[in-house]
Structures are given as C-alpha cells and as structure tokens.
Amino acid sequence: SCKFCAHSVQKNLNKLPYVDNAQVNIDTKKAHIVVAQGKEVNIDELKKITDSRFTPVKVTISSLN
C-alpha cells in the first residue's frame, strides 16, 4: 500500500539464500523474484514474507530454459 512497505518486502525477499534478485513494484502490485541457479524455492517462506504486508494472490514459476 506504500513505497516503504514495498521496499521492506523487497529487502526481506533479497535476504533469502535462494533469491538472486527480488524487485517489488508498488504500481503493478507485483514482485519479480529471480532464484539462484541450482536453488529451490520455498513457497511457504515467500508467502510468510509477503503476507506481512501484502496478500499473495498468485505465484507463477517459470524457467529461462
């Protein structure tokens, strides 16, 4: 709901050991997360971080391969 909240979520997502880069866009209400090669995503952990400020509606996982 505010830029500070989005920044806080982005900062916490980037602290995760399997996240190479996370960007949270308050205007589009989306987070784009790049996972480190060879690492597995913990969806429950991602939801805990985002649940604190936002309600995750949909998680889409795609591969660059």
Side-chain angles (χ1 to χ4, degrees):
S1 60
C2 73
K3 290 186 181 198
F4 179 76
C5 294
H7 175 73
S8 177
V9 170
Q10 179 174 301
K11 181 178 170 184
N12 287 322
L13 288 171
N14 277 304
K15 288 180 181 178
L16 296 173
Y18 50 84
V19 173
D20 256 355
N21 185 30
Q23 298 291 319
V24 176
N25 185 316
I26 192 76
D27 297 325
T28 62
K29 299 180 181 182
K30 291 184 179 184
H32 180 102
I33 302 166
V34 178
V35 177
Q37 188 172 10
K39 302 285 184 172
E40 289 196 28
V41 177
N42 182 330
I43 297 295
D44 292 331
E45 189 173 35
L46 288 177
K47 286 183 177 181
K48 282 181 189 175
I49 289 174
T50 57
D51 276 344
S52 64
R53 307 255 189 230
F54 301 102
T55 303
V57 176
K58 177 178 154 184
V59 176
T60 303
I61 300 173
S62 60
S63 174
L64 295 176
N65 296 336

